[in-house]
Amino acid sequence: MAPLVAFEAWDGWGAWQATRTADDERFNDAYRARLAAIVAAHTGGLEARCSACGHRGRFRASADAEAHREQLACPACRLPGRTRAALAVLDDEGLGPEAALYATEHGSPLVAQLRRRVHHVATSEFHPARRPWLRRFRHWIRHGAATHQDLRALSFPEAVWDAMLCLDVFEHIDTVDTAFAECARVLRPGGVLVATAPFDENAEADRRLATLGEGGDLAWSVAEEWHADPLGGRVPCFHRFGWAMLPRLRAAGFREAQWCRVHAPDEALFGLWVIRARR
């Protein structure tokens, strides 16, 4: 396993604001470093060590605003920035090989890394009835059969997992507080949820982008926002989260909830935000 990556964590808007105000120039320097790194990765590749697998090589990206999050993939294990950041937070938990871990994805490069860390890893995909059967069949051919799970109504009994990993899923769930409660229900006491989601570090409140009507119609309160589906096609984005996500997680049954900021330029990680919530 690669060496652990240091990161900072805050449990609320007030704590973050106090740190950000007192240490403003450090965060500004980090932002400038991120911009320079994206340019370097776009023009010739950024030399760095992978925080997930330990490989040292050139990380590449387009000159896109989200390149530090969605790109900068390790040339060896193929994990992009946000996935490596989440794995760094998970690795900080020090899970032993006997731990039971559930990840809300299947067939991705991340799953191989998880199986190197713990013996018991369960994976799933969300297969709504409306998903074209041919798309599901192609995914099965490439990655094997994936168990269907809906985060709003998981099939697991209570308190069965030591850890859950949920990357960029919550924003696509209309009734997301139900999903938060389900995650808390299936985690053992002391178990941890590690997750990523679109996050505005400068916003105290969460923002609702769309609502799903009874007939399945979408009502947008802003310009439409759609994200790519790993199984093909696209899915609507219902939420852009702020610091209010943390009290919502606590209300759903988590004892602790934090936003963690992973900034490790030597590992090509630049100010990436990860949720850590403990049951």
Side-chain angles (χ1 to χ4, degrees), residues 6 17 23 32 58 72 92 116 119 121 128 149 152 165-166 186-187 195 197 207 211 213 231 241 249 255 268 277-278:
Q17 285 292 94
D23 216 357
R32 287 188 285 266
R58 289 196 173 274
L72 288 178
D92 187 70
R116 291 188 178 97
H119 299 323
V121 178
Q149 290 289 349
R152 299 166 298 182
L165 202 60
C166 184
V186 301
L187 280 168
R207 189 179 185 190
T211 303
L231 272 67
F241 297 103
L249 285 164
R255 176 166 48 89
R278 193 173 309 283

Side-chain angles (χ1 to χ4, degrees), residues 34-47 58-61:
R34 184 176 81 192
L35 296 180
I38 292 173
V39 172
H42 175 60
T43 55
L46 178 70
E47 184 72 23
R58 289 196 173 274
F59 290 63
R60 301 184 185 276

Side-chain angles (χ1 to χ4, degrees), residues 201-242:
E201 66 194 66
N202 297 311
E204 182 175 9
D206 298 335
R207 189 179 185 190
R208 165 71 79 157
L209 306 183
T211 303
L212 191 64
E214 292 184 4
D217 296 328
L218 286 168
W220 293 91
S221 58
V222 297
E224 294 186 13
E225 184 173 330
W226 299 79
H227 296 171
D229 187 331
L231 272 67
R234 60 179 192 164
V235 288
C237 184
F238 291 99
H239 312 275
R240 183 163 293 275
F241 297 103

Side-chain angles (χ1 to χ4, degrees), residues 10-94:
W10 294 269
D11 61 6
W13 167 254
W16 160 246
Q17 285 292 94
T19 305
R20 185 68 175 84
T21 301
D23 216 357
D24 185 67
E25 191 54 34
R26 176 168 66 92
F27 290 105
N28 289 339
D29 285 344
Y31 178 69
R32 287 188 285 266
R34 184 176 81 192
L35 296 180
I38 292 173
V39 172
H42 175 60
T43 55
L46 178 70
E47 184 72 23
R49 182 188 64 85
C50 179
S51 56
C53 72
H55 174 80
R56 179 168 288 279
R58 289 196 173 274
F59 290 63
R60 301 184 185 276
S62 68
D64 181 85
E66 288 286 297
H68 70 296
R69 187 174 190 270
E70 302 298 334
Q71 301 174 41
L72 288 178
C74 170
C77 69
R78 298 183 291 136
L79 297 187
R82 66 174 167 85
T83 305
R84 291 185 293 110
L87 199 54
V89 174
L90 182 69
D91 286 343
D92 187 70
E93 292 295 310

Side-chain angles (χ1 to χ4, degrees), residues 23 192 217 246 266:
D23 216 357
V192 65
D217 296 328
L246 300 182
D266 289 344

